[in-house]
Structures are given as C-alpha cells and as structure tokens.
Amino acid sequence: MNLKISNLAKRFEKGWILRDVTFEAIENEVTGIFAPNGAGKTTLLRILAGTEKSNGGALFRNSEDVSKFPPEKRGFFVPGLKKTFFGSGKIIEFSNANEQIAAFEEAVENATEVLLLDDTFCLIDRGKREELFAKLRIAAKEKHLAVVFATNSFEDIFAACDRVAVLLKGEIQQFGTPREVYEFPVNSGVAQVTGRNNLIVARRLSKSTAEIPEFQTLIGDHRVFTNKTEKNTLGSLTQNVCLAIRPEYISISFGASFPEDNLLKATIADIKFQGATTLIMLDASGLKLEALVLRLVGLKVGDECMVGLPPDRIQILKN
C-alpha cells in the first residue's frame, strides 16, 4: 500500500506552515520526515492522520483520495505524535520511555497498511532506540507497511529510514536516500540541518566554461577550486554562492603539502573530544572551519597547520 501526498498546505493565523508538500511513502519502507523543531512535522502528520484539516492538497492511499475521510476510515495507525497518541479521537500522554515503548510495540502489532510515527523514540535511550529501529524496519517489510517517521534527529534518520524528505520553510526541500541527502544537499539550508557542515560564502572568479571552477572566499580571501559542475549551479560572477564541505573531509597536516587540495594556512582555535571522534575548530585568516578526526595526535590549541579542502568534496550550493 502506497501513500502519496500531493501539494498539501496548511495556514495558521501567522502564515503558511506547510506549502505544496509533496512526497510518496511506499510499502515495505520507512520514509523519514526530517525537520528542526517547529518546522511543521507534527502538523503534517496530524493532517495525514485526519486529526487536522489542511488548506489544500490531496492524500492518496494507492489511487484513492482519502483526504476527506475521517481518521477511523483511513486505515492508518498513529502512535506517538510527540508525547500523545491520536487514534479514533483517543489521546494519551507519555510520561516515560516505558510508555513510549509500549505504544510502539502496539503500533507494530496492530498496524496493517500505514504507520505514522512522530518523534516516537524521543524518551528512549540510544541502545534501545537502535533495537526498536531494527524492529521497525523488519515490520515494514514483513507486514508490507508504508511507515512515515518524523524526527529532528538525522542520526535517527540514518538508523531507521530508507528515504527521507527534508522539510524546511514549509516545503519539502529535498527527497532521497539519507546518504544522498547528506552527501549531496541541494541548498545551504539542507546542508546546515543535516549534520555539521562548513558553509563558506564565496564568489566565482573563473569563467563558466572553465574546466576547474575557481572561487574566492568572502572571509579570508582564499582561492578555492572545485570540481567541474553544471553552469546553473555556478552562479554569476557578481553573485555569492555557498561552498559546503563536511568536517570529516577536511585534512590537517604539518609537513608535506598537496596544493591540489586547496591548502589553507590555519590556527587551531579549539579542540572538542567527542569519544570516537575529535572536532577541531580552525581559524584560517578569519574563516572559521571545523575538521573531524578519528584520533587526536600531537594537536593542541594555538598550533599552526595546513588545512586541505579536497575539490571533489566541495559542494556548490544555492543560499
């Protein structure tokens, strides 16, 4: 059973919270709705569940439009909208993880077509969450469920979801696999909310036909090269663009240099130990960067180093 959401919209007194929301959740998969707090995730799930009216759009169960159906006729099981359970008008407050786990177990047992989950695991510790995510993915395949899981944690999206829709400014900004969205965000907004990212404002120096595009950063005046890309993503010579590179792709060196990796001279501004990884805060002539390393070897605050930004790891994004 597939669930197709087409151009859903919702307006409150202060303005539109959802506009032209379109995506599809298919059976056997867990589809994530990822957004920061207050971006409209719960409102969207309430509309899908039938407990909130929309201001336009349609909702299809396979080819049947169920937008006007009452909640009890939609065939959706809806536990855990935030800390509440909406189903046939019943509301239950979750006060602890055990209640949340019990609601999830009930959902997996009773859901037959569509399962809607809103931050259902927010009170549960990480180890138990991973166990429940595995159970959810198995249930989706064994019971042929179309699961929609809304959360503000991209780590949970990685753990639970086959595909993800990123909801920002009331619209679905990007839809794809979690890996596609993480590695190839379509704009600076998606790049910023889906995990740590170095977003660098720059302006193009080279011609649009250049084999290797060259940019100059607005802060630090660094020359940075990227891989060749489509003309429509380059921006004009008078237009600022956003260069994005994840911290794990930035290299730090003190000896041999590789100019093709956009070497910048920097100072280590701070070091944050995070267990399996360490986050290095860098200052390259005023340009603030973050690098993620597996082991901290011989680095200390105040050290000067060379920072490499591999061209093939830099995304050119629209602001």
Side-chain angles (χ1 to χ4, degrees), residues 209-226:
T209 56
E211 187 69 23
I212 302 177
E214 182 181 7
F215 296 84
Q216 184 170 12
T217 67
L218 267 63
I219 298 177
D221 293 327
H222 300 289
R223 298 290 183 94
V224 177
F225 294 92
T226 69

Side-chain angles (χ1 to χ4, degrees), residues 133-191:
F133 288 152
K135 188 169 186 176
L136 177 63
R137 294 174 69 97
I138 292 171
K141 290 177 172 57
E142 290 184 347
K143 302 185 71 173
H144 305 293
L145 299 175
V147 180
V148 180
F149 168 47
T151 179
N152 62 0
S153 169
F154 210 74
E155 289 185 3
D156 286 355
I157 292 292
F158 276 130
C161 300
D162 298 285
R163 294 185 297 170
V164 59
V166 180
L167 178 64
L168 292 174
K169 298 180 180 179
E171 301 178 0
I172 300 298
Q173 302 283 334
Q174 188 168 356
F175 185 74
T177 68
R179 181 173 180 175
E180 287 170 348
V181 171
Y182 182 82
E183 293 189 343
F184 304 105
V186 296
N187 56 45
S188 59
V190 174

Side-chain angles (χ1 to χ4, degrees), residues 12-33:
F12 291 122
E13 290 184 0
K14 293 183 178 180
W16 293 97
I17 189 169
L18 299 174
R19 293 181 297 183
D20 297 325
V21 171
T22 300
F23 66 96
E24 188 172 5
I26 64 176
E27 68 177 36
N28 304 327
E29 287 191 1
V30 180
T31 300
I33 304 296

Side-chain angles (χ1 to χ4, degrees), residues 29-313:
E29 287 191 1
V30 180
T31 300
I33 304 296
F34 174 76
N37 289 331
K41 299 186 300 298
T42 296
T43 298
L44 174 58
L45 289 200
R46 286 176 184 266
I47 292 173
L48 301 186
T51 60
E52 183 85 46
K53 291 184 178 180
S54 70
N55 294 109
L59 171 63
F60 296 93
R61 186 176 60 194
N62 289 331
S63 59
E64 181 181 24
D65 187 351
V66 298
S67 304
K68 307 301 182 183
F69 285 21
E72 62 273 12
K73 290 189 177 181
R74 296 194 178 191
F76 303 168
F77 202 89
V78 195
L81 286 175
K82 290 299 179 186
K83 296 183 180 179
T84 57
F85 163 71
F86 295 80
S88 302
K90 182 172 64 173
I91 301 177
I92 300 174
E93 292 289 338
F94 293 149
S95 60
N96 58 55
N98 289 334
E99 291 179 359
Q100 214 168 43
I101 292 170
F104 172 77
E105 298 286 355
E106 179 188 3
V108 170
E109 181 179 349
N110 291 291
T112 57
E113 291 185 347
V114 174
L115 177 58
L116 306 178
L117 303 170
D118 185 12
D119 211 7
T120 307
F121 310 96
C122 63
L123 301 177
I124 301 171
D125 65 72
R126 179 176 178 178
K128 186 64 177 180
R129 278 207 314 272
E130 291 179 353
E131 178 185 325
L132 297 179
F133 288 152
K135 188 169 186 176
L136 177 63
R137 294 174 69 97
I138 292 171
K141 290 177 172 57
E142 290 184 347
K143 302 185 71 173
H144 305 293
L145 299 175
V147 180
V148 180
F149 168 47
T151 179
N152 62 0
S153 169
F154 210 74
E155 289 185 3
D156 286 355
I157 292 292
F158 276 130
C161 300
D162 298 285
R163 294 185 297 170
V164 59
V166 180
L167 178 64
L168 292 174
K169 298 180 180 179
E171 301 178 0
I172 300 298
Q173 302 283 334
Q174 188 168 356
F175 185 74
T177 68
R179 181 173 180 175
E180 287 170 348
V181 171
Y182 182 82
E183 293 189 343
F184 304 105
V186 296
N187 56 45
S188 59
V190 174
Q192 188 171 34
V193 300
T194 53
R196 289 188 177 276
N197 216 327
N198 294 284
L199 303 181
I200 306 168
V201 181
R203 188 165 293 185
R204 180 165 54 87
L205 298 176
S206 56
K207 295 181 179 179
S208 60
T209 56
E211 187 69 23
I212 302 177
E214 182 181 7
F215 296 84
Q216 184 170 12
T217 67
L218 267 63
I219 298 177
D221 293 327
H222 300 289
R223 298 290 183 94
V224 177
F225 294 92
T226 69
N227 274 3
K228 188 174 182 179
T229 188
E230 296 179 3
K231 289 184 180 180
N232 60 359
T233 66
L234 289 172
S236 69
L237 290 173
T238 59
Q239 177 185 4
N240 295 342
V241 297
C242 181
L243 306 182
I245 182 169
R246 298 285 184 186
E248 60 267 30
Y249 297 140
I250 290 182
S251 63
I252 300 175
S253 65
F254 295 92
S257 63
F258 302 91
E260 66 273 14
D261 281 348
N262 292 314
L263 282 181
L264 312 180
K265 187 175 181 180
T267 301
I268 297 176
D270 198 7
I271 297 173
K272 296 181 179 180
F273 178 73
Q274 298 181 329
T277 61
T278 299
L279 187 67
I280 311 296
M281 320 298 289
L282 299 151
D283 186 332
S285 300
L287 180 64
K288 308 299 183 184
L289 298 170
E290 295 180 346
L292 196 65
V293 299
L294 289 176
R295 291 192 307 157
L296 182 64
V297 179
L299 300 179
K300 62 181 183 296
V301 174
D303 283 350
E304 291 188 348
C305 61
M306 300 302 294
V307 177
L309 283 63
D312 62 336
R313 294 298 189 178

